[in-house]
Amino acid sequence: MKEIPLQTEVKPAKRLKAASLAKTRKRSDYFWAYLMIAPTMLGLAIFYLWPIIQNFYFSFTEWGSFGQYEWTGLDNYKRMLEDATLLQSFKNTGIYIIFTVPIGIFLSIIIAVLLNQNIKGKSVYRTLYFLPVITMPAAIAMVWKWLYNADYGLLNYLLSLIGIKGPQWVTDPHIALYSVIAVAIWSGIGYNMVIFLSGLQGIPKMYYEAAEIDGAGPVTVFFKITLPLLSPVIFFVTIMSLIGAFQVFDLIFMMIGKGSTALESTQSIVYLFYQHAFVLNDKGYAAAIAVLLLIVILIITAIQMVLQKKWVHYD
Amino acid sequence: MRKWLIMLLTVVLGLLGLAGCSDSDKASSDAKDGKVEITYGIWDKKQLPAIEDIIKLFNEKHPNIKVKTEITPYGQYFQKLETAATGGALPDVLWMNGAHVTQYAEGKVILPLSDMAKKDNYSLDNYPKSLIDLYTVDGKVYGIPKDYDTIGFWYNKKIFDDAGVAYPDETWDWTKLKETAKQLTNKDKGVWGFASTIANQEGYYNFIWQNGGYVISKDGKKAGFDDPKTVEALKFYTSFIKEGLSPTQAQMTETAASELFSSGKVAMMLDGPWMVPEYKKNPDLNVTVLPKGETRATAIHGLSNVIAANTKHKDAAWKFVQFLGSKEAAEIYAKTGTVIPAFNGAQDTWVKSVPSLNLQAFIDASEYSVPLPNAKSTGEIWQYEVDILKKAWSQEESIEDAAKELTKKANEALSK
């Protein structure tokens, strides 16, 4: 992500200091800076960088029981080309992303803008919208699974009151993915909303005052002022939600589950990875899937980086 | 000055973190006051009360060995074990089933117990021979049998009474089962006659064997899912779903068949004695022997306690395993009606533990029982069974096609 440039003010008085002093000063500053970030960097290296390198290596191996493996070269990648399940899981993940990311961002912007107004009890509303974020995903999935239950669930009961026979929300292969998407959007709104709220509060009031004097209506204000000035935040949220959506696992694992008839039409890339890595103990192939996913995410993020020049405004 | 302070703090915090890691390692391996702690990995929460009683009794004899139980639901149990075994972090003592014992024994992650048993004069004759055989790999015993289970035919008396149908008994066969399922299915009330669960041990395996089919050949080299007799049995078992006499696969995914059964939505189903603690809560439920097909057959299987090869407390773990296999432990299992203890002679206590249920059916069934397969790849094949057969259960694919695909996958796994 591109850093939002910070405006650092340099006081004129400081500039006048002797140049040599500044040089040694600088070096010692670097030393301290590196020392300060060392613990984090170390953690990053041990828990992220090293596993990524190892994972890359394992993607060229085949695993037996209990950690034995042998080098098989490109076999795993060749196998991928013929794996229809993998293709299907990419398709499922794609559908999931296409729905959750734009709808999620759209809804959270709307809610953030509404909750940024001076309305009564807005902190109560903010809390309500944020609650799903602090709830365990497993708990959310379990509760929704019960709400969705075709025969005894609340949702279909309510539908039956108005004479509609509700579908099998989580076991019908044509519907299940969308049921998961709905829960994902619902549970993700709060988090994005908070980021957008802070973004909104960072927009200087004077723009709105100027717009008011010029006689702009609320819609014009939203599209001409709020949206452009919020664009760096939207960009940030888009990238993060996209990466998050690519890695969707928990909701599908909890809500759909193993014996389900809808598993094929809902399993995501990471679910497939889990299946190969931990259920079938096919860790080499799983590592190859992880590498593929990494490459796809990298490419898509890079594309976003290029495209952002066209729509993101930094003040 | 302030920089130094922050720096110092960082270093101290970092060290604390590191110390934290090593400290916990020490605590579990160090026996300062002669106390050791061992972990016991299990998957069935329903057995926990009985196990706690057993541990209490064990501690009266061995106050220095503290036992900590670790429950992992069965769905994730072997996945977690596999990862734990790879990382050398298995519980000291753990439950094992027949499907995985060969894999774990050959992978050298569990200890052979024969020599220790011989040294301590611990008799293995106290258990049914079939169970000892199940846990014998290359002539060495790896597990001390804990319990065993045959499969019973459970039914809801109330649904039978309402429909005015006689309760099932040992004279029943497949035709009678189908007939009665038709009589008991009541769409208006939302009651199904039977539940064709996608379970192997407490489901289609029994029908396969009753029909003269097979799952894995005796030499462990070939899968028999596409055997005509097997296919015929699978067809009969799933015909209940097709004819609307059983909840659909989707419905049983949404609400487990056992829940539908215990809440009076399903009249009959197959299930094991491990469900006794659950089903005894509903006074309408009872159990009898399975209806017969061409022959009588039921799956038999039993769990055992094994010791992890990398345990740091081999002696303590072995003492605990011996106690778990003792008559005293068996009595607790029996009295509480938790499971059928493997210890010879303790079964009678178990039968009497829940007077409202005809538990003798499970003991009677052991006469014609067929052991579950224990070839090395059985655990893997079980995964394929669910993945592939569910397509046939949900009527997306014919039984023949699913059986063919499954046989291919299973044969690949067996040849590994």
Side-chain angles (χ1 to χ4, degrees):
Chain A
M1 204 195 101
K2 193 172 172 182
E3 289 279 317
I4 301 166
L6 290 170
Q7 288 184 328
T8 44
E9 280 181 61
V10 183
K11 283 188 183 143
K14 273 202 174 164
R15 274 195 212 142
L16 294 174
K17 281 199 171 173
S20 64
L21 197 79
K23 219 175 190 177
T24 44
R25 175 81 209 243
K26 212 171 171 188
R27 197 174 293 157
S28 104
D29 272 357
Y30 276 138
F31 170 74
W32 283 109
Y34 280 124
L35 200 70
M36 290 300 168
I37 61 169
T40 317
M41 291 306 283
L42 207 68
L44 212 64
I46 294 173
F47 294 110
Y48 286 85
L49 218 55
W50 178 236
I52 290 175
I53 295 167
Q54 266 190 316
N55 180 76
F56 189 68
Y57 172 76
F58 287 149
S59 72
F60 299 103
T61 59
E62 191 183 330
W63 283 56
S65 296
F66 312 118
Q68 307 156 329
Y69 56 86
E70 54 177 358
W71 181 266
T72 52
L74 285 171
D75 278 6
N76 287 327
Y77 291 96
K78 280 181 199 146
R79 200 174 131 198
M80 269 184 181
L81 296 175
E82 294 155 11
D83 190 348
T85 327
L86 183 70
L87 197 69
Q88 179 68 36
S89 75
F90 263 96
K91 205 179 124 199
N92 298 337
T93 314
I95 296 174
Y96 179 87
I97 291 169
I98 287 172
F99 281 92
T100 50
V101 176
I103 297 179
I105 290 177
F106 175 75
L107 287 178
S108 31
I109 291 179
I110 301 286
I111 291 169
V113 169
L114 292 178
L115 290 183
N116 201 32
Q117 318 291 321
N118 271 327
I119 49 166
K120 237 186 194 164
K122 65 179 172 186
S123 43
V124 175
Y125 284 115
R126 285 181 188 176
T127 314
L128 283 179
Y129 279 107
F130 198 68
L131 267 181
V133 182
I134 55 164
T135 314
M136 272 198 307
I140 288 179
M142 288 320 284
V143 169
W144 275 96
K145 201 175 160 185
W146 274 109
L147 291 175
Y148 276 143
N149 188 301
D151 295 313
Y152 314 105
L154 185 67
L155 210 58
N156 278 0
Y157 172 72
L158 292 177
L159 285 175
S160 76
L161 290 183
I162 50 170
I164 298 174
K165 194 184 177 305
Q168 293 179 316
W169 295 101
V170 287
T171 43
D172 184 332
H174 304 292
I175 297 174
L177 185 55
Y178 300 95
S179 307
V180 175
I181 286 171
V183 180
I185 292 174
W186 171 80
S187 62
I189 281 178
Y191 181 71
N192 292 342
M193 179 199 75
V194 167
I195 300 177
F196 283 130
L197 263 177
S198 68
L200 285 173
Q201 276 155 16
I203 299 175
K205 282 245 164 25
M206 55 183 186
Y207 294 129
Y208 291 107
E209 286 160 8
E212 206 178 323
I213 291 166
D214 289 346
V219 177
T220 321
V221 168
F222 178 76
F223 282 106
K224 297 279 177 189
I225 296 174
T226 311
L227 221 47
L229 288 177
L230 201 59
S231 60
V233 183
I234 298 178
F235 178 58
F236 169 75
V237 172
T238 311
I239 288 200
M240 297 315 274
S241 332
L242 223 110
I243 294 174
F246 259 112
Q247 300 177 357
V248 59
F249 169 74
D250 42 11
L251 281 180
I252 293 168
F253 179 74
M254 296 297 295
M255 285 176 66
I256 306 297
K258 208 161 157 46
S260 175
T261 38
L263 187 60
E264 273 71 26
S265 64
T266 50
Q267 66 182 351
S268 62
I269 308 166
V270 178
Y271 188 95
L272 197 70
F273 161 82
Y274 164 81
Q275 182 77 3
H276 281 287
F278 298 107
V279 180
L280 298 172
N281 194 33
D282 195 358
K283 293 199 171 62
Y285 191 56
I289 293 177
V291 169
L292 184 66
L293 180 62
L294 177 75
I295 292 170
V296 170
I297 292 182
L298 276 181
I299 291 174
I300 289 189
T301 310
I303 293 173
Q304 279 186 285
M305 288 298 200
V306 175
L307 287 182
Q308 61 136 341
K309 292 191 185 110
K310 298 215 189 306
W311 65 277
V312 179
H313 306 269
Y314 294 106
D315 276 319
Chain B
M1 188 60 208
R2 227 172 83 197
K3 263 185 201 159
W4 279 106
L5 211 71
I6 296 174
M7 149 93 177
L8 201 74
L9 237 129
T10 320
V11 172
V12 168
L13 281 177
L15 284 177
L16 270 180
L18 288 175
C21 301
S22 59
D23 214 36
S24 62
D25 276 353
K26 235 191 203 162
S28 63
S29 67
D30 202 357
K32 267 180 226 150
D33 44 352
K35 270 207 170 188
V36 290
E37 184 179 297
I38 56 172
T39 46
Y40 184 31
I42 68 172
W43 68 68
D44 191 351
K45 200 176 74 201
K46 293 194 291 296
Q47 300 192 21
L48 194 61
I51 288 172
E52 276 168 354
D53 286 352
I54 292 172
I55 292 174
K56 223 180 268 165
L57 209 61
F58 173 69
N59 279 340
E60 282 172 17
K61 290 190 177 167
H62 303 278
N64 287 333
I65 303 173
K66 201 180 158 219
V67 183
K68 207 176 104 194
T69 45
E70 276 178 13
I71 306 180
T72 312
Y74 183 71
Q76 283 87 48
Y77 184 81
F78 282 102
Q79 296 159 28
K80 195 176 148 188
L81 277 196
E82 177 114 25
T83 314
T86 310
L90 281 179
D92 300 292
V93 178
L94 53 129
W95 282 8
M96 181 52 63
N97 67 8
H100 291 87
V101 64
T102 314
Q103 186 199 352
Y104 279 70
E106 286 182 4
K108 296 195 169 36
V109 291
I110 53 175
L111 284 181
L113 307 176
S114 312
D115 295 343
M116 289 197 273
K118 210 175 274 169
K119 208 180 92 199
D120 287 358
N121 273 328
Y122 188 81
S123 170
L124 298 174
D125 298 333
N126 286 327
Y127 314 99
K129 199 180 164 294
S130 62
L131 288 181
I132 292 288
D133 289 347
L134 185 64
Y135 291 99
T136 305
V137 180
D138 289 334
K140 281 187 187 142
V141 178
Y142 282 82
I144 301 297
K146 164 187 171 300
D147 54 33
Y148 77 84
D149 34 66
T150 56
I151 302 303
F153 187 73
W154 292 84
Y155 59 97
N156 187 317
K157 289 185 282 189
K158 195 166 170 292
I159 301 176
F160 276 80
D161 291 342
D162 288 350
V165 180
Y167 298 154
D169 54 32
E170 67 285 349
T171 62
W172 274 37
D173 56 10
W174 287 14
T175 329
K176 181 81 181 162
L177 168 62
K178 191 56 150 307
E179 215 175 86
T180 317
K182 280 180 190 156
Q183 287 173 318
L184 296 179
T185 301
N186 187 335
K187 286 256 154 67
D188 302 331
K189 279 196 201 158
V191 170
W192 290 278
F194 187 66
S196 304
T197 55
I198 193 160
N200 49 21
Q201 183 188 358
E202 63 274 28
Y204 50 85
Y205 277 8
N206 302 285
F207 286 85
I208 291 173
W209 291 322
Q210 289 180 2
N211 205 39
Y214 69 102
V215 178
I216 292 175
S217 61
K218 285 220 171 65
D219 57 4
K221 293 219 168 83
K222 199 190 157 310
F225 294 105
D226 60 349
D227 178 79
K229 288 285 188 189
T230 307
V231 171
E232 197 186 5
L234 290 173
K235 271 188 173 165
F236 173 75
Y237 188 60
T238 50
S239 69
F240 291 89
I241 298 179
K242 218 176 196 166
E243 294 165 29
L245 308 175
S246 156
T248 62
Q249 173 60 18
Q251 281 166 323
M252 288 187 282
T253 313
E254 297 210 9
T255 318
S258 57
E259 280 173 46
L260 292 170
F261 176 65
S262 52
S263 59
K265 301 281 178 198
V266 162
M268 308 177 276
M269 73 179 288
L270 273 57
D271 222 328
W274 58 83
M275 288 307 283
V276 168
E278 185 65 32
Y279 291 159
K280 74 176 178 192
K281 291 180 198 158
N282 183 344
D284 291 335
L285 309 181
N286 203 351
V287 64
T288 182
V289 293
L290 299 184
K292 57 173 181 263
E294 277 183 18
T295 58
R296 282 201 174 279
T298 173
I300 190 168
H301 177 252
L303 304 182
S304 70
N305 293 301
V306 300
I307 300 178
N310 65 347
T311 175
K312 287 173 189 150
H313 311 292
K314 198 171 143 188
D315 291 337
W318 170 235
K319 270 181 197 143
F320 184 55
V321 166
Q322 285 184 69
F323 189 79
L324 287 170
S326 70
K327 193 166 182 210
E328 290 148 288
E331 287 293 332
I332 291 181
Y333 267 137
K335 256 194 319 215
T336 51
T338 310
V339 285
I340 312 177
F343 199 92
N344 283 335
Q347 288 88 0
D348 286 342
T349 318
W350 178 76
V351 169
K352 287 175 201 139
S353 66
V354 186
S356 61
L357 295 173
N358 170 28
L359 295 182
Q360 185 63 34
F362 289 105
I363 311 290
D364 293 347
S366 60
E367 280 166 33
Y368 43 81
S369 56
V370 184
L372 285 186
N374 72 339
K376 190 184 170 190
S377 319
T378 309
E380 192 183 339
I381 293 172
W382 283 9
Q383 297 294 342
Y384 296 137
E385 284 183 27
V386 181
D387 286 349
I388 296 168
L389 289 181
K390 81 173 179 219
K391 287 183 255 174
W393 254 247
S394 62
Q395 321 282 320
E396 274 170 65
E397 227 175 54
S398 70
I399 292 280
E400 282 90 346
D401 287 350
K404 223 174 267 165
E405 193 190 339
L406 178 56
T407 311
K408 193 169 152 266
K409 279 264 194 184
N411 280 338
E412 276 170 23
L414 287 171
S415 65
K416 259 190 222 168

PDB file of all heavy atoms in Angstrom, chain B residues 383-403:
ATOM      1  N   GLN B 383     -12.211 -40.764   4.632  1.00  0.00           N
ATOM      2  CA  GLN B 383     -12.425 -39.394   4.134  1.00  0.00           C
ATOM      3  C   GLN B 383     -13.068 -39.442   2.749  1.00  0.00           C
ATOM      4  O   GLN B 383     -13.988 -38.693   2.456  1.00  0.00           O
ATOM      5  CB  GLN B 383     -11.096 -38.626   4.046  1.00  0.00           C
ATOM      6  CG  GLN B 383     -10.402 -38.424   5.375  1.00  0.00           C
ATOM      7  CD  GLN B 383     -11.184 -37.523   6.305  1.00  0.00           C
ATOM      8  OE1 GLN B 383     -12.072 -36.787   5.885  1.00  0.00           O
ATOM      9  NE2 GLN B 383     -10.885 -37.602   7.589  1.00  0.00           N
ATOM     10  N   TYR B 384     -12.546 -40.329   1.901  1.00  0.00           N
ATOM     11  CA  TYR B 384     -13.092 -40.431   0.545  1.00  0.00           C
ATOM     12  C   TYR B 384     -14.537 -40.914   0.572  1.00  0.00           C
ATOM     13  O   TYR B 384     -15.354 -40.498  -0.243  1.00  0.00           O
ATOM     14  CB  TYR B 384     -12.247 -41.374  -0.313  1.00  0.00           C
ATOM     15  CG  TYR B 384     -10.839 -40.904  -0.536  1.00  0.00           C
ATOM     16  CD1 TYR B 384      -9.769 -41.771  -0.455  1.00  0.00           C
ATOM     17  CD2 TYR B 384     -10.581 -39.562  -0.829  1.00  0.00           C
ATOM     18  CE1 TYR B 384      -8.458 -41.334  -0.654  1.00  0.00           C
ATOM     19  CE2 TYR B 384      -9.287 -39.118  -1.032  1.00  0.00           C
ATOM     20  CZ  TYR B 384      -8.234 -40.000  -0.945  1.00  0.00           C
ATOM     21  OH  TYR B 384      -6.964 -39.571  -1.131  1.00  0.00           O
ATOM     22  N   GLU B 385     -14.842 -41.820   1.495  1.00  0.00           N
ATOM     23  CA  GLU B 385     -16.210 -42.339   1.579  1.00  0.00           C
ATOM     24  C   GLU B 385     -17.209 -41.194   1.713  1.00  0.00           C
ATOM     25  O   GLU B 385     -18.184 -41.122   0.975  1.00  0.00           O
ATOM     26  CB  GLU B 385     -16.348 -43.303   2.765  1.00  0.00           C
ATOM     27  CG  GLU B 385     -15.745 -44.665   2.498  1.00  0.00           C
ATOM     28  CD  GLU B 385     -15.971 -45.621   3.668  1.00  0.00           C
ATOM     29  OE1 GLU B 385     -16.952 -45.463   4.405  1.00  0.00           O
ATOM     30  OE2 GLU B 385     -15.136 -46.530   3.838  1.00  0.00           O
ATOM     31  N   VAL B 386     -16.944 -40.295   2.663  1.00  0.00           N
ATOM     32  CA  VAL B 386     -17.882 -39.178   2.867  1.00  0.00           C
ATOM     33  C   VAL B 386     -17.929 -38.300   1.622  1.00  0.00           C
ATOM     34  O   VAL B 386     -19.006 -37.958   1.125  1.00  0.00           O
ATOM     35  CB  VAL B 386     -17.467 -38.335   4.090  1.00  0.00           C
ATOM     36  CG1 VAL B 386     -18.458 -37.214   4.297  1.00  0.00           C
ATOM     37  CG2 VAL B 386     -17.383 -39.193   5.327  1.00  0.00           C
ATOM     38  N   ASP B 387     -16.736 -37.938   1.107  1.00  0.00           N
ATOM     39  CA  ASP B 387     -16.691 -37.023  -0.033  1.00  0.00           C
ATOM     40  C   ASP B 387     -17.457 -37.561  -1.232  1.00  0.00           C
ATOM     41  O   ASP B 387     -18.157 -36.827  -1.915  1.00  0.00           O
ATOM     42  CB  ASP B 387     -15.233 -36.783  -0.459  1.00  0.00           C
ATOM     43  CG  ASP B 387     -14.510 -35.883   0.521  1.00  0.00           C
ATOM     44  OD1 ASP B 387     -15.191 -35.305   1.381  1.00  0.00           O
ATOM     45  OD2 ASP B 387     -13.273 -35.778   0.433  1.00  0.00           O
ATOM     46  N   ILE B 388     -17.291 -38.852  -1.505  1.00  0.00           N
ATOM     47  CA  ILE B 388     -17.838 -39.401  -2.747  1.00  0.00           C
ATOM     48  C   ILE B 388     -19.259 -39.935  -2.550  1.00  0.00           C
ATOM     49  O   ILE B 388     -20.154 -39.659  -3.340  1.00  0.00           O
ATOM     50  CB  ILE B 388     -16.902 -40.492  -3.294  1.00  0.00           C
ATOM     51  CG1 ILE B 388     -15.565 -39.840  -3.667  1.00  0.00           C
ATOM     52  CG2 ILE B 388     -17.514 -41.178  -4.509  1.00  0.00           C
ATOM     53  CD1 ILE B 388     -14.453 -40.814  -3.945  1.00  0.00           C
ATOM     54  N   LEU B 389     -19.456 -40.675  -1.460  1.00  0.00           N
ATOM     55  CA  LEU B 389     -20.780 -41.284  -1.289  1.00  0.00           C
ATOM     56  C   LEU B 389     -21.878 -40.257  -1.076  1.00  0.00           C
ATOM     57  O   LEU B 389     -23.034 -40.501  -1.399  1.00  0.00           O
ATOM     58  CB  LEU B 389     -20.756 -42.277  -0.119  1.00  0.00           C
ATOM     59  CG  LEU B 389     -19.986 -43.567  -0.379  1.00  0.00           C
ATOM     60  CD1 LEU B 389     -20.073 -44.463   0.844  1.00  0.00           C
ATOM     61  CD2 LEU B 389     -20.534 -44.301  -1.596  1.00  0.00           C
ATOM     62  N   LYS B 390     -21.516 -39.101  -0.541  1.00  0.00           N
ATOM     63  CA  LYS B 390     -22.579 -38.122  -0.267  1.00  0.00           C
ATOM     64  C   LYS B 390     -23.277 -37.700  -1.550  1.00  0.00           C
ATOM     65  O   LYS B 390     -24.433 -37.317  -1.540  1.00  0.00           O
ATOM     66  CB  LYS B 390     -22.032 -36.936   0.509  1.00  0.00           C
ATOM     67  CG  LYS B 390     -21.347 -35.906  -0.317  1.00  0.00           C
ATOM     68  CD  LYS B 390     -20.988 -34.707   0.510  1.00  0.00           C
ATOM     69  CE  LYS B 390     -20.275 -33.716  -0.417  1.00  0.00           C
ATOM     70  NZ  LYS B 390     -19.173 -33.050   0.202  1.00  0.00           N
ATOM     71  N   LYS B 391     -22.560 -37.784  -2.686  1.00  0.00           N
ATOM     72  CA  LYS B 391     -23.191 -37.449  -3.961  1.00  0.00           C
ATOM     73  C   LYS B 391     -24.276 -38.473  -4.306  1.00  0.00           C
ATOM     74  O   LYS B 391     -25.279 -38.139  -4.929  1.00  0.00           O
ATOM     75  CB  LYS B 391     -22.142 -37.405  -5.077  1.00  0.00           C
ATOM     76  CG  LYS B 391     -21.252 -36.180  -4.982  1.00  0.00           C
ATOM     77  CD  LYS B 391     -20.276 -36.126  -6.142  1.00  0.00           C
ATOM     78  CE  LYS B 391     -18.892 -36.503  -5.700  1.00  0.00           C
ATOM     79  NZ  LYS B 391     -17.913 -36.621  -6.760  1.00  0.00           N
ATOM     80  N   ALA B 392     -24.041 -39.714  -3.904  1.00  0.00           N
ATOM     81  CA  ALA B 392     -25.057 -40.735  -4.138  1.00  0.00           C
ATOM     82  C   ALA B 392     -26.199 -40.578  -3.125  1.00  0.00           C
ATOM     83  O   ALA B 392     -27.363 -40.771  -3.450  1.00  0.00           O
ATOM     84  CB  ALA B 392     -24.438 -42.122  -4.027  1.00  0.00           C
ATOM     85  N   TRP B 393     -25.842 -40.225  -1.910  1.00  0.00           N
ATOM     86  CA  TRP B 393     -26.858 -40.038  -0.865  1.00  0.00           C
ATOM     87  C   TRP B 393     -27.804 -38.904  -1.234  1.00  0.00           C
ATOM     88  O   TRP B 393     -28.981 -38.931  -0.945  1.00  0.00           O
ATOM     89  CB  TRP B 393     -26.165 -39.723   0.471  1.00  0.00           C
ATOM     90  CG  TRP B 393     -26.184 -40.842   1.450  1.00  0.00           C
ATOM     91  CD1 TRP B 393     -26.854 -40.850   2.633  1.00  0.00           C
ATOM     92  CD2 TRP B 393     -25.498 -42.097   1.376  1.00  0.00           C
ATOM     93  NE1 TRP B 393     -26.635 -42.041   3.286  1.00  0.00           N
ATOM     94  CE2 TRP B 393     -25.812 -42.816   2.547  1.00  0.00           C
ATOM     95  CE3 TRP B 393     -24.664 -42.691   0.448  1.00  0.00           C
ATOM     96  CZ2 TRP B 393     -25.310 -44.095   2.804  1.00  0.00           C
ATOM     97  CZ3 TRP B 393     -24.160 -43.956   0.695  1.00  0.00           C
ATOM     98  CH2 TRP B 393     -24.490 -44.645   1.865  1.00  0.00           C
ATOM     99  N   SER B 394     -27.266 -37.857  -1.886  1.00  0.00           N
ATOM    100  CA  SER B 394     -28.103 -36.718  -2.251  1.00  0.00           C
ATOM    101  C   SER B 394     -28.718 -36.900  -3.634  1.00  0.00           C
ATOM    102  O   SER B 394     -29.268 -35.957  -4.194  1.00  0.00           O
ATOM    103  CB  SER B 394     -27.291 -35.429  -2.200  1.00  0.00           C
ATOM    104  OG  SER B 394     -26.231 -35.496  -3.131  1.00  0.00           O
ATOM    105  N   GLN B 395     -28.620 -38.100  -4.191  1.00  0.00           N
ATOM    106  CA  GLN B 395     -29.235 -38.475  -5.462  1.00  0.00           C
ATOM    107  C   GLN B 395     -28.642 -37.731  -6.657  1.00  0.00           C
ATOM    108  O   GLN B 395     -29.244 -37.656  -7.713  1.00  0.00           O
ATOM    109  CB  GLN B 395     -30.761 -38.216  -5.455  1.00  0.00           C
ATOM    110  CG  GLN B 395     -31.470 -38.533  -4.174  1.00  0.00           C
ATOM    111  CD  GLN B 395     -31.725 -40.009  -3.992  1.00  0.00           C
ATOM    112  OE1 GLN B 395     -32.058 -40.708  -4.919  1.00  0.00           O
ATOM    113  NE2 GLN B 395     -31.530 -40.499  -2.784  1.00  0.00           N
ATOM    114  N   GLU B 396     -27.469 -37.120  -6.472  1.00  0.00           N
ATOM    115  CA  GLU B 396     -26.844 -36.444  -7.607  1.00  0.00           C
ATOM    116  C   GLU B 396     -26.206 -37.449  -8.549  1.00  0.00           C
ATOM    117  O   GLU B 396     -26.032 -37.192  -9.725  1.00  0.00           O
ATOM    118  CB  GLU B 396     -25.718 -35.526  -7.108  1.00  0.00           C
ATOM    119  CG  GLU B 396     -26.135 -34.159  -6.691  1.00  0.00           C
ATOM    120  CD  GLU B 396     -24.977 -33.461  -5.998  1.00  0.00           C
ATOM    121  OE1 GLU B 396     -23.971 -33.203  -6.667  1.00  0.00           O
ATOM    122  OE2 GLU B 396     -25.072 -33.211  -4.774  1.00  0.00           O
ATOM    123  N   GLU B 397     -25.808 -38.564  -7.985  1.00  0.00           N
ATOM    124  CA  GLU B 397     -25.075 -39.555  -8.752  1.00  0.00           C
ATOM    125  C   GLU B 397     -25.674 -40.915  -8.429  1.00  0.00           C
ATOM    126  O   GLU B 397     -26.252 -41.096  -7.367  1.00  0.00           O
ATOM    127  CB  GLU B 397     -23.608 -39.542  -8.279  1.00  0.00           C
ATOM    128  CG  GLU B 397     -22.600 -39.506  -9.397  1.00  0.00           C
ATOM    129  CD  GLU B 397     -21.191 -39.363  -8.859  1.00  0.00           C
ATOM    130  OE1 GLU B 397     -20.791 -40.187  -8.000  1.00  0.00           O
ATOM    131  OE2 GLU B 397     -20.490 -38.447  -9.293  1.00  0.00           O
ATOM    132  N   SER B 398     -25.522 -41.867  -9.365  1.00  0.00           N
ATOM    133  CA  SER B 398     -26.034 -43.191  -9.061  1.00  0.00           C
ATOM    134  C   SER B 398     -25.063 -43.893  -8.102  1.00  0.00           C
ATOM    135  O   SER B 398     -23.891 -43.534  -8.031  1.00  0.00           O
ATOM    136  CB  SER B 398     -26.160 -44.010 -10.337  1.00  0.00           C
ATOM    137  OG  SER B 398     -24.884 -44.340 -10.823  1.00  0.00           O
ATOM    138  N   ILE B 399     -25.593 -44.865  -7.367  1.00  0.00           N
ATOM    139  CA  ILE B 399     -24.749 -45.617  -6.451  1.00  0.00           C
ATOM    140  C   ILE B 399     -23.609 -46.280  -7.226  1.00  0.00           C
ATOM    141  O   ILE B 399     -22.465 -46.278  -6.779  1.00  0.00           O
ATOM    142  CB  ILE B 399     -25.594 -46.695  -5.724  1.00  0.00           C
ATOM    143  CG1 ILE B 399     -26.589 -46.043  -4.775  1.00  0.00           C
ATOM    144  CG2 ILE B 399     -24.703 -47.681  -4.990  1.00  0.00           C
ATOM    145  CD1 ILE B 399     -26.040 -45.606  -3.459  1.00  0.00           C
ATOM    146  N   GLU B 400     -23.916 -46.813  -8.420  1.00  0.00           N
ATOM    147  CA  GLU B 400     -22.892 -47.503  -9.209  1.00  0.00           C
ATOM    148  C   GLU B 400     -21.709 -46.576  -9.507  1.00  0.00           C
ATOM    149  O   GLU B 400     -20.559 -46.952  -9.323  1.00  0.00           O
ATOM    150  CB  GLU B 400     -23.477 -48.007 -10.537  1.00  0.00           C
ATOM    151  CG  GLU B 400     -24.302 -49.278 -10.430  1.00  0.00           C
ATOM    152  CD  GLU B 400     -25.771 -48.979 -10.184  1.00  0.00           C
ATOM    153  OE1 GLU B 400     -26.109 -47.822  -9.843  1.00  0.00           O
ATOM    154  OE2 GLU B 400     -26.592 -49.904 -10.320  1.00  0.00           O
ATOM    155  N   ASP B 401     -22.025 -45.348  -9.974  1.00  0.00           N
ATOM    156  CA  ASP B 401     -20.958 -44.417 -10.342  1.00  0.00           C
ATOM    157  C   ASP B 401     -20.117 -44.036  -9.124  1.00  0.00           C
ATOM    158  O   ASP B 401     -18.887 -44.012  -9.176  1.00  0.00           O
ATOM    159  CB  ASP B 401     -21.554 -43.144 -10.962  1.00  0.00           C
ATOM    160  CG  ASP B 401     -22.082 -43.418 -12.362  1.00  0.00           C
ATOM    161  OD1 ASP B 401     -21.795 -44.517 -12.878  1.00  0.00           O
ATOM    162  OD2 ASP B 401     -22.787 -42.551 -12.903  1.00  0.00           O
ATOM    163  N   ALA B 402     -20.814 -43.712  -8.025  1.00  0.00           N
ATOM    164  CA  ALA B 402     -20.096 -43.319  -6.819  1.00  0.00           C
ATOM    165  C   ALA B 402     -19.234 -44.471  -6.329  1.00  0.00           C
ATOM    166  O   ALA B 402     -18.077 -44.277  -5.936  1.00  0.00           O
ATOM    167  CB  ALA B 402     -21.091 -42.899  -5.732  1.00  0.00           C
ATOM    168  N   ALA B 403     -19.783 -45.694  -6.370  1.00  0.00           N
ATOM    169  CA  ALA B 403     -19.041 -46.860  -5.894  1.00  0.00           C
ATOM    170  C   ALA B 403     -17.790 -47.077  -6.737  1.00  0.00           C
ATOM    171  O   ALA B 403     -16.718 -47.402  -6.227  1.00  0.00           O
ATOM    172  CB  ALA B 403     -19.926 -48.102  -5.931  1.00  0.00           C
TER     173      ALA B 403
END
